[in-house]
Amino acid sequence: MTDREQRTLDFLRERLGACEYFRAHPAEGAYRLEHSIRVARIGAEIARNEGMDEEHMTIACLLHDVGYGTDFPADYNWNDHGRHGAKIARPFLSTLGLDSQTVEDICYGIAIHVDDRSDFPGRRTPFTETVGDADNIDRFDVFRIYDSLRFRNFYEMSLVERLNWLEGLGPQLEKLEQMELATPTATALWRSRVAFQRAFFDRLLEQTRAGTLPERTEEQ
């Protein structure tokens, strides 16, 4: 890890650690930090394979969710956390000795990573789009399988509810798997992750169906 990457990680830890919500919910704060580090690793892999600056991408990805490091009102629109994060990141980035265009590209990548929108002009490039790609790749990796089951309270569902959910999930994942991301490396990583999820949930659907009794006709 370079000095600038370490300073960025320290800044992220400081911002998340100062958030009252994360102090009250340390597991969620730990997840946000771990997720950001994983996204930085994915972004660095993409940058390395695609000829981008690996350090700059690592910094951008570490900061992509820094907007969470603020206590917001209950009705806050979390789709804005990328744009808010860019505002938080910009003054810090100015302390790293980066050139002005790199700062702008990092901020723009952070701003658009949630819903592809920014509140300031910027360059749409493979670099800026990779921040969101790396985020999505991590969110659709193995941990999301666990998280989806936990969020849906899968174990507490009735058998019919489980079947309905799993049968609807397969086509959604199949469609997602065909998405093209900003670079060939990101697209390959994405498809590998989503394909793994499809295989898992297809097998879970098969096993869930195996827990139902077949209907029998009078002749049987």
Side-chain angles (χ1 to χ4, degrees), residues 142-179:
V142 177
F143 192 88
R144 176 51 66 95
I145 295 174
Y146 158 77
D147 212 34
S148 295
L149 295 171
R150 179 181 66 90
F151 179 76
R152 294 280 178 171
N153 292 315
F154 185 80
Y155 192 73
E156 284 74 34
M157 285 181 178
S158 70
L159 186 57
V160 171
E161 288 173 331
R162 292 181 189 179
L163 287 169
N164 287 340
W165 178 59
L166 291 169
E167 287 169 354
L169 187 59
Q172 294 176 35
L173 290 174
E174 184 176 4
K175 183 177 180 180
L176 284 171
E177 189 180 350
Q178 301 310 309
M179 281 176 51

Side-chain angles (χ1 to χ4, degrees), residues 16-35:
L16 297 179
C19 179
E20 184 177 336
Y21 178 82
F22 288 143
R23 288 201 299 271
H25 303 85
E28 295 191 33
Y31 168 79
R32 191 57 51 189
L33 178 62
E34 292 161 12
H35 164 68

Side-chain angles (χ1 to χ4, degrees), residues 92-120:
F92 167 73
L93 292 169
S94 69
T95 71
L96 296 182
L98 300 169
D99 65 85
S100 59
Q101 187 60 65
T102 297
V103 171
E104 290 303 313
D105 287 346
I106 291 174
C107 288
Y108 192 69
I110 294 169
I112 66 173
H113 89 271
V114 181
D115 56 7
D116 210 30
R117 294 172 51 226
S118 175
D119 53 1
F120 61 92

Side-chain angles (χ1 to χ4, degrees), residues 16-17 35 41 55 59 68 88 96 108 114 134 136 204 206:
L16 297 179
H35 164 68
R41 290 183 182 277
E55 182 190 51
I59 291 169
Y68 278 95
I88 293 172
L96 296 182
Y108 192 69
V114 181
N136 283 325
L204 183 58
E206 180 183 339

